[in-house]
Amino acid sequence: MIGLIITIIGLFGIIVNQSKLKQLLSLNIMALGVVLFLIEEGAKVGSAPPLKGGNPVDPIPAVLMLTTLVVDVAVTGLALALIMGGKGK
């Protein structure tokens, strides 16, 4: 639920803001909301730790979302370089 709210806030920021930098930050907020939503959905499978038995939580969605966050940081850095590169000298 919180992931969806954060995603909607990020989408609203992309639509409302005219500045490329603010749109990029809103896109990051939206991506974080999607990651939180998918982690929430992956955690509903079970409630026990993966190696303790019982009804375990699937660790694959969390690992994939961690990879997504790393890629998001790289894409944000590239986008910042492209946005700020036009404002040089």
Side-chain angles (χ1 to χ4, degrees):
M1 184 70 181
I2 292 176
L4 287 177
I5 293 170
I6 292 174
T7 302
I8 292 170
I9 290 170
L11 182 63
F12 179 75
I14 291 172
I15 294 170
V16 170
N17 291 319
Q18 298 294 322
S19 169
K20 297 289 184 194
L21 184 61
K22 289 181 181 179
Q23 286 179 341
L24 178 64
L25 292 175
S26 297
L27 183 65
N28 281 341
I29 291 171
M30 191 170 128
L32 178 66
V34 170
V35 167
L36 285 175
F37 173 73
L38 291 174
I39 288 176
E40 288 172 357
E41 290 299 313
K44 288 182 181 177
V45 174
S47 59
L51 299 175
K52 296 288 184 179
N55 190 11
V57 174
D58 187 16
I60 299 298
V63 171
L64 290 174
M65 293 304 105
L66 183 62
T67 304
T68 301
L69 289 174
V70 171
V71 170
D72 189 38
V73 168
V75 169
T76 301
L78 178 64
L80 278 173
L82 292 174
I83 289 172
M84 303 306 275
K87 297 180 182 179
K89 303 175 188 179

